[in-house]
Amino acid sequence: MLDAVGIGLIFPILPNLLKDVTHAAEVATLIGLMLALYSAMQFLFSPVLGVLSDRYGRRPVLLLSLAGAAIDYLVMAFAPELWMLVVGRAIAGITSANMAVATAYITDISAEEERARRFGYFHAMFGIGFIIGPVIGGLLGDIWVRAPFMAAAILNAGNFALALFVLPESRKGTAEARFDPATLNPFRPLGWAFSFAALLPLMAIFVIMNFVGTMYGTVWALFGQDMFAWNGLTIGLSLGIFGFFHAGAQALLTGPAAERLGEKWALVLGMACELAALAVLGFAAEGWILFALAPLFALGGIGMPALQSLTTRQVDADHQGQLQGVLASLVSLSAVFGPVFFSFAYFVIKPTWPGLVWIIGGGIYLLALPLLLTLRRPQTAASAPDRRQS
């Protein structure tokens, strides 16, 4: 949660900060490039940090990344030049790739039947952080445009202290002390993951769900303004309510759903609820309907933790960090291309039917249906190929 707050803090002030540094009136392109750069760095380095945590332990990688993030935000708080901010956002993307290590840690300390519930807690806390972060960032940014960077540095320093003094190691390193430069190749773990037939449909579903997930942040505010003339307060309130329900469902309902239905059918239930909500949203003619759909959308949130838990069953304990790095990398890849696709789609259809964007998202979601039908009873992946390629 502290990590997500630190990331979300800077979103509200990024436009003003860029205007302050560049002295330009229009910075939309720069914002897009910086967000894409952040996601691209996550895509490249999530697998690397995951592999390093498998080889050398979770705790050293977490400590290194959290310390780097704290120093990076501190430098960005006083950066006078644009290139420094760009480099800073790239480093922030690299250090935020530690979420792969965090999810691998959860896998280490959880029995298979507990993972869905605990991944639900994890996603819920991350969601709460993203609700709190922008609010604090907006308040601090009104005081001083660089204050949120100072707050983000303090939060990451607090995270570092927690990891240093409270967090025990969940998995000791298995590698020799000698460092292997090939470990830094981000495409090696991706090649390893794509070599397993059992992982392929799960990873494809993961990409589809995350790709569609970028649609909300991309067009929600635009849709509310264009269809219902919402102001900033109403948009913020709607996002806050959605975040509250979503986090509550992931924290409280994921575990019971996975225990009663099994992870596969919990995933199916989550996807069905989200598809139903998207269908209604596409034809919504009144703004209150969007608020009324919050619980149904929230039920859709149980799908992702169930999918993540299902995926961990396919890989042995020695390669959970590598797997979580690959999954985090796929999330980042979706974050690069998803906003571009949905913003363009909304631009094209807005004059005739703005709600069609939600139907398009639902149609993409349906691509996961045949993949769901291919899923078999979960098995632990054979470790021999893992060891040869890791």
Side-chain angles (χ1 to χ4, degrees):
M1 186 182 72
L2 291 175
D3 209 1
V5 170
I7 296 169
L9 272 170
I10 71 163
F11 288 160
I13 55 91
L14 193 55
N16 288 337
L17 178 63
L18 290 174
K19 290 177 182 178
D20 181 61
V21 171
T22 63
H23 307 292
E26 180 54 56
V27 293
T29 303
L30 270 178
I31 292 174
L33 289 174
M34 292 188 75
L35 293 177
L37 176 64
Y38 184 90
S39 298
M41 291 299 101
Q42 285 185 316
F43 167 71
L44 290 173
F45 283 90
S46 291
V48 173
L49 294 191
V51 172
L52 288 174
S53 74
D54 282 336
R55 291 175 63 85
Y56 303 107
R58 312 293 185 214
R59 198 164 172 268
V61 178
L62 280 172
L63 288 171
L64 183 63
S65 62
L66 289 171
I71 295 170
D72 174 59
Y73 280 121
L74 191 61
V75 171
M76 290 178 71
F78 299 99
E81 302 290 339
L82 176 62
W83 69 267
M84 294 181 182
L85 291 176
V86 172
V87 172
R89 287 309 289 165
I91 296 173
I94 294 171
T95 56
S96 69
N98 63 29
M99 303 315 295
V101 186
T103 50
Y105 190 106
I106 292 173
T107 304
D108 293 338
I109 64 171
S110 306
E112 289 187 350
E113 62 272 13
E114 296 177 315
R115 288 176 186 169
R117 180 189 298 272
R118 291 183 175 180
F119 282 134
Y121 293 156
F122 175 82
H123 286 284
M125 292 303 102
F126 206 74
I128 290 172
F130 267 117
I131 296 171
I132 299 172
V135 174
I136 299 176
L139 293 172
L140 291 176
D142 287 341
I143 301 172
W144 181 37
V145 73
R146 296 182 184 253
F149 286 104
M150 298 290 292
I154 293 170
L155 285 172
N156 275 278
N159 247 350
F160 176 83
L162 282 174
L164 182 62
F165 297 113
V166 179
L167 190 73
E169 178 61 81
S170 67
R171 173 181 176 78
K172 293 183 179 179
T174 58
E176 299 176 356
R178 185 177 62 85
F179 177 71
D180 181 7
T183 305
L184 299 180
N185 180 358
F187 297 103
R188 197 173 185 183
L190 292 169
W192 163 82
F194 284 112
S195 69
F196 290 104
L199 277 177
L200 291 178
L202 291 165
M203 289 193 299
I205 295 170
F206 199 81
V207 170
I208 290 170
M209 292 180 70
N210 281 281
F211 185 85
V212 174
T214 66
M215 174 176 59
Y216 302 107
T218 304
V219 301
W220 183 268
L222 295 172
F223 182 74
Q225 290 172 340
D226 296 335
M227 284 291 294
F228 312 115
W230 281 358
N231 58 22
L233 176 62
T234 307
I235 292 171
L237 183 63
S238 69
L239 291 172
I241 290 174
F242 267 70
F244 174 80
F245 275 98
H246 208 262
Q250 288 184 320
L252 302 176
L253 300 181
T254 300
E259 290 164 6
R260 294 189 176 216
L261 303 175
E263 289 151 338
K264 177 180 176 179
W265 290 106
L267 170 60
V268 171
L269 174 63
M271 295 183 72
C273 290
E274 188 156 357
L275 278 168
L278 286 172
V280 175
L281 188 57
F283 295 93
E286 300 289 341
W288 64 265
I289 296 176
L290 277 66
F291 286 88
L293 288 173
L296 191 58
F297 270 116
L299 287 173
I302 69 175
M304 184 58 71
L307 174 62
Q308 200 162 3
S309 177
L310 195 61
T311 307
T312 63
R313 293 176 180 263
Q314 309 299 330
V315 176
D316 66 12
D318 290 340
H319 297 85
Q320 289 297 333
Q322 190 162 332
L323 171 65
Q324 296 304 325
V326 169
L327 295 181
S329 184
L330 296 177
V331 172
S332 302
L333 191 65
S334 300
V336 173
F337 294 103
V340 175
F341 173 82
F342 286 111
S343 60
F344 178 76
Y346 188 76
F347 173 78
V348 172
I349 65 176
K350 173 185 169 182
T352 54
W353 181 14
L356 182 59
V357 69
W358 310 114
I359 306 300
I360 292 173
I364 296 173
Y365 228 96
L366 285 174
L367 296 176
L369 182 60
L371 296 169
L372 280 169
L373 298 177
T374 67
L375 298 184
R376 299 288 184 264
R377 183 179 179 82
Q379 297 177 355
T380 300
S383 59
D386 297 355
R387 298 185 195 280
R388 288 199 302 269
Q389 299 184 49
S390 64

